Amino acid sequence: MASREHFGSRAAVIMAMAGSAIGLGNIWRFPFIAGQYGGAAFILVYIFFCLLVSLPILLCESVIGRRTHKNTVGAMKELAPGSGWKFLGLLTVIAPVILLSYYSVVGGWSVEYLYKAVTLQFRPEAASEVPGMFGSFVSSSGRPVLCLFVFLAITAGIVYLGVKKGIERFSKVSMPVLFVLVLVIAVYSMTLAGSNEGVQYLVRPDFSKLTPDALAAALGQSFFSLSLGAGTMLTYSSYVSKDEDLVASGAGTAVSDLLFAVLAGFAVMPAVFASGIAPTAGPGLVFETLPFIFAKMGSAAGFMSAAASVVFFLTILVAALTSSISMMEVGVAYLVEERHVSRHRATLGIFFFSFAAGILCSLSFGPLSGVKIAGNSIFDFLDKLCSNWLLTLGALFFCLFVGWKMDKSAVRDELTNGGSRTFNARVFPVIYFLVRYIAPAAILLVFLSGVIG
Ligand code: PHE
């Protein structure tokens, strides 16, 4: 396909992939999970899993994508023609669209909170009302849906512009900015009175909390955080040119994601402890406590605290956008290449579908809170369906496909650029061993614990 787009450089590849990886998973999920399961001890295990299990799976998706330069379904059809593996392509087209639907609801919340921060609604004299704002906002029907619309419209706008002009350009500007923003918030957060306990919560290793559950949580978190099993990394890799080093860009992506998660931990936890509100998991915490503590500081620090709120919600919004565009691109690439729909119509189609499903998710915090699927609200059901089932299955099958079905020489060829990358050639046996044995075994562990737990 001569007209297919490519990312322009190594930096562009890493920025786009890291953009997909770094998102809500890093900012609200990682800090609480890390705290809950033993702080520094959990972080050590997390790093270990990230490098030994998740990075090899990322490389599996990269190999398939770059080998074929096709969307998830097209890639499977090319590498395993006429076989049942096509279902893996389809699974990984469906999963990111579902993911996009509920992820964008939280993305919409960040639009609202950025608006609130910019219009100085987190005032010191109203600080005590700030935590309650969240509950009344999400349970209403009009505004969260409007914010969902805005978030999805920005996502669709970037995706519509294409890989180079949209995704590459947006990621290249926003990723470095994100790192600076989160660093600013981390430093500010650690200077707040009472923040020390939050720092302790993250750095004090508590090995007694490292239960089998914690190990499964660490692996599950690292899959979600690295965007694995949803076809996003495969699709992005299909835009990577043949002379790019997949191992180097994969490692760059994993390390950036890791670094950002740890920085986000130091941005969020000290502020949570300084606010005196108990750290419980979930998106609400970030929206309730952070603006509260910034507002409380307001009388003491004035401009600084107002600016901190703006910076914080801008960080969440941009991080969520660089992830949501990667989710939308999977479906768009599929519709354009396999169904011969124009990019314009494909983008609009996915936009409307996820908006409709997103409305249901959004209303499940309010008027539709009584609707339960298997005992969960619509939002929780879709979240569990994706993180416990679809992504894990996707990751497992990508791994099995590359480790057991694909020709070993083709895998080596992709990872070493035809043998020309000598370092990669040296580490290839290790990567291949991890892909064939260690990663599938680890995924089965997570999967079983997700299903049973
Ligand atoms: N990695 C993203 C995050 O941390 C979420 C994501 C999952 C994006 C799967 C794409 C695919 O927020």
Side-chain angles (χ1 to χ4, degrees):
M1 204 174 286
S3 63
R4 216 166 183 282
E5 291 190 273
H6 283 301
F7 287 124
S9 62
R10 161 94 50 98
V13 174
I14 295 182
M15 294 298 169
M17 285 192 172
S20 170
I22 294 169
L24 299 169
N26 303 57
I27 304 179
W28 65 258
R29 210 158 176 262
F30 180 77
F32 307 115
I33 298 201
Q36 211 172 312
Y37 288 111
F42 177 90
I43 296 177
L44 284 178
V45 173
Y46 181 78
I47 294 174
F48 185 77
F49 279 158
C50 195
L51 300 177
L52 292 187
V53 180
S54 301
L55 178 56
I57 298 172
L58 172 59
L59 295 179
C60 290
E61 289 201 34
S62 301
V63 162
I64 301 172
R66 212 263 300 262
R67 185 82 184 161
T68 56
H69 290 304
K70 287 199 169 132
N71 63 87
T72 58
V73 173
M76 285 298 144
K77 282 207 248 171
E78 179 177 321
L79 292 176
S83 74
W85 285 100
K86 201 178 112 184
F87 93 93
L88 178 57
L90 274 175
L91 172 79
T92 50
V93 166
I94 295 164
V97 178
I98 300 178
L99 199 58
L100 179 65
S101 308
Y102 73 85
Y103 198 87
S104 300
V105 172
V106 184
W109 297 347
S110 65
V111 173
E112 168 75 8
Y113 269 67
L114 178 60
Y115 171 78
K116 281 191 190 328
V118 171
T119 52
L120 303 177
Q121 292 185 39
F122 305 129
R123 280 186 305 275
E125 61 276 16
S128 59
E129 291 158 27
V130 171
M133 277 180 185
F134 181 73
S136 53
F137 164 65
V138 294
S139 59
S140 61
S141 22
R143 257 193 108 80
V145 171
L146 175 71
C147 294
L148 164 71
F149 178 87
V150 172
F151 182 84
L152 269 172
I154 304 174
T155 304
I158 299 167
V159 171
Y160 172 66
L161 286 175
V163 174
K164 260 192 126 80
K165 280 204 213 127
I167 298 173
E168 174 172 332
R169 205 190 276 170
F170 184 70
S171 313
K172 263 175 101 170
V173 175
S174 59
M175 294 318 288
V177 173
L178 265 188
F179 268 99
V180 176
L181 293 183
V182 80
L183 203 64
V184 169
I185 289 289
V187 170
Y188 178 69
S189 186
M190 286 192 283
T191 60
L192 298 172
S195 64
N196 194 29
E197 225 184 307
V199 176
Q200 290 299 317
Y201 195 58
L202 283 172
V203 299
R204 200 188 317 119
D206 183 353
F207 289 98
S208 69
K209 287 194 185 148
L210 278 185
T211 55
D213 242 22
L215 300 188
L219 198 54
Q221 170 63 18
S222 95
F223 287 170
F224 184 85
S225 191
L226 265 183
S227 310
L228 300 177
T232 47
M233 290 306 186
L234 190 162
T235 305
Y236 271 13
S237 303
S238 75
Y239 303 124
V240 173
S241 58
K242 281 287 177 219
D243 47 11
E244 181 53 71
D245 184 333
L246 289 182
V247 178
S249 45
T253 303
V255 169
S256 318
D257 187 53
L258 210 58
L259 206 63
F260 196 93
V262 173
L263 274 176
F266 284 103
V268 171
M269 268 311 160
V272 165
F273 274 84
S275 76
I277 296 177
T280 44
L285 189 68
V286 166
F287 290 93
E288 283 164 5
T289 54
L290 268 287
F292 170 66
I293 184 69
F294 293 152
K296 243 177 55 172
M297 290 291 114
S299 41
F303 170 77
M304 273 295 282
S305 85
S309 299
V310 174
V311 169
F312 183 68
F313 290 109
L314 188 65
T315 309
I316 298 196
L317 174 61
V318 174
L321 277 172
T322 51
S323 299
S324 62
I325 55 179
S326 75
M327 297 171 195
M328 192 178 268
E329 178 62 26
V330 178
V332 169
Y334 163 74
L335 289 174
V336 170
E337 292 170 10
E338 301 300 311
R339 303 265 149 188
H340 310 294
V341 178
S342 70
R343 190 167 181 93
H344 182 139
R345 293 182 64 169
T347 310
L348 262 184
I350 296 185
F351 168 80
F352 279 116
F353 180 86
S354 17
F355 182 49
I359 292 177
L360 296 179
C361 294
S362 180
L363 296 182
S364 76
F365 288 92
L368 296 184
S369 61
V371 179
K372 299 278 181 226
I373 310 173
N376 294 288
S377 71
I378 303 173
F379 183 98
D380 286 343
F381 175 76
L382 292 184
D383 181 29
K384 285 194 180 145
L385 177 70
C386 280
S387 13
N388 291 358
W389 289 86
L390 302 183
L391 299 193
T392 316
L393 273 181
L396 174 64
F397 283 112
F398 279 136
C399 195
L400 293 176
F401 185 81
V402 172
W404 297 90
K405 165 85 185 151
M406 252 180 107
D407 206 17
K408 184 174 177 182
S409 58
V411 181
R412 187 191 294 113
D413 190 47
E414 271 320 305
L415 289 179
T416 62
N417 291 8
S420 63
R421 303 272 168 174
T422 45
F423 174 77
N424 298 4
R426 233 176 296 139
V427 294
F428 177 75
V430 180
I431 298 176
Y432 201 63
F433 178 77
L434 293 172
V435 166
R436 257 168 99 89
Y437 302 104
I438 305 297
I443 300 173
L444 277 176
L445 172 85
V446 178
F447 188 55
L448 290 180
S449 80
V451 172
I452 298 165

